[in-house]
Amino acid sequence: MTQHTEFAHVVDRVRRLLPVQPEVALILGSGLGALAEAVEHAVALSVTEIPGYPPSTVEGHAGRLIGGYLEGCPVVVVQGRVHCYEGHSPQAVAFPVRLVHALGAQRLIVTNAAGALNPHFRPGMLMFLVDHINAAFRSPLVGALQHCPQPFWRGSPDLSAPYDLAWIEAAEQLALQLRIPTCRGVYLWTLGPSYETKAEIRMYRRMGADAVGMSTVPEVIQARQLGMRVLGISTLTNMAAGMQQGPLTHEEVLAVGFQVRDRLERLLRGIIRQLYAKKF
Ligand code: HPA
């Protein structure tokens, strides 16, 4: 059996188990998975039931795919992002994106926790990604011709506008109405799993990054190659290394993510409501 027919079997199996055709897929980051609990008429699949799904090894990442409705809109929530720093290839990290796209999702919302590099930003702020820098220098599309046969390979995808500006503008309007402070910025992907050195942060600031994190970019590259429209939101959990007192801990990142989760949930619900009502 080819990789392609194997994938088609997996998609068939998931489609039979999840009774929705999602309009939008959400990939929820570290400690930001609470919205998954709010999905109505939810059917949850453990990722261990999905052949080919890379196993998650990180605390705070329950590996589940949840199909159902949010604000009336059919959604699929990926609560179980995997990262390259867990030892997975970028191709494996992008597997959930290929899966949700094959289930019918034309749009992708990705959230993550990130450290702020822009001195005007503060922990607890939500940042819309307007662009990214791939400082891990890895791509899920390397070798894609092998696992994605000719009709699906449309050449090197354009990444001059990976994040959908019209969607960002609509989401910003909504955030304003909801009185949720947001900002825009460039997200830089590092491989991790260690946090950055102060010298690296100085370099990343000069490169034009506003926030730094260890996820999102491989999924976004895959989503753009598949033609999905993408919205990315970072929860800024801390000022990056050297920009705040003392060392940075995973607990601090999770704690700030937890503090702002209500805000993020209200914003995401609004965005989905807006999208379902075709308001932009
Ligand atoms: N660096 C990298 N990843 C992160 C950070 C950070 O400062 N905060 C949350 N995720």
Side-chain angles (χ1 to χ4, degrees):
M1 212 179 341
T2 66
Q3 285 196 1
H4 183 57
T5 47
E6 252 173 61
F7 183 66
H9 282 299
V10 172
V11 172
D12 271 352
R13 180 183 151 82
V14 173
R15 207 177 264 142
R16 265 183 272 120
L17 295 169
L18 286 187
V20 286
Q21 182 169 351
E23 288 216 5
V24 59
L26 290 97
I27 299 183
L28 302 175
S30 301
L32 310 174
L35 190 62
E37 314 301 334
V39 174
E40 288 166 14
H41 307 293
V43 176
L45 263 186
S46 165
V47 299
T48 56
E49 294 175 58
I50 305 172
Y53 201 108
S56 170
T57 59
V58 185
E59 207 189 319
H61 289 267
R64 296 192 307 166
L65 205 67
I66 298 157
Y69 297 83
L70 276 171
E71 304 293 318
C73 180
V75 299
V76 60
V77 179
V78 177
Q79 194 191 30
R81 156 181 281 153
V82 289
H83 304 79
C84 286
Y85 66 68
E86 294 172 76
H88 298 299
S89 66
Q91 291 79 2
V93 169
F95 176 88
V97 177
R98 294 196 294 279
L99 183 59
V100 295
H101 176 261
L103 294 175
Q106 296 295 318
R107 290 172 182 263
L108 178 69
I109 300 176
V110 273
T111 68
N112 60 50
L117 274 72
N118 185 321
H120 300 296
F121 295 171
R122 288 288 166 265
M125 277 175 117
L126 300 178
M127 183 188 93
F128 289 111
L129 276 64
V130 286
D131 209 341
H132 70 228
I133 296 172
N134 182 348
F137 307 106
R138 307 189 67 187
S139 169
L141 306 184
V142 171
L145 268 176
Q146 282 151 38
H147 63 74
C148 181
Q150 284 293 346
F152 296 95
W153 177 253
R154 303 178 194 98
S156 296
D158 173 67
L159 284 182
S160 64
Y163 303 91
D164 193 305
L165 194 58
W167 201 357
I168 293 171
E169 284 169 357
E172 281 175 337
Q173 284 300 319
L174 184 83
L176 217 59
Q177 286 164 23
L178 296 173
R179 297 175 196 281
I180 295 173
T182 63
C183 53
R184 287 183 182 192
V186 174
Y187 175 90
L188 181 141
W189 176 35
T190 58
L191 188 56
S194 45
Y195 291 120
E196 300 68 40
T197 64
K198 293 176 190 172
E200 284 163 350
I201 292 302
R202 284 196 299 273
M203 173 176 75
Y204 294 153
R205 284 178 66 177
R206 287 194 191 149
M207 287 165 69
D210 296 296
V212 58
M214 305 175 195
S215 67
T216 302
V217 169
E219 290 109 318
V220 171
I221 293 172
Q222 180 70 77
R224 292 303 297 149
Q225 191 258 328
L226 293 167
M228 297 174 84
R229 294 177 69 176
V230 177
L231 185 73
I233 305 175
S234 290
T235 293
L236 303 177
T237 51
N238 55 279
M239 297 309 289
M243 297 180 69
Q244 65 173 28
Q245 294 284 314
L248 181 56
T249 65
H250 183 56
E251 287 67 38
E252 171 185 351
V253 167
L254 288 180
V256 177
F258 188 78
Q259 281 163 26
V260 298
R261 71 189 185 138
D262 281 355
R263 237 190 261 171
L264 179 64
E265 178 171 335
R266 277 193 297 130
L267 182 61
L268 288 172
R269 276 182 179 282
I271 289 168
I272 291 166
R273 207 180 313 121
Q274 203 178 40
L275 176 148
Y276 196 47
K278 306 272 184 293
K279 285 257 177 63
F280 70 99

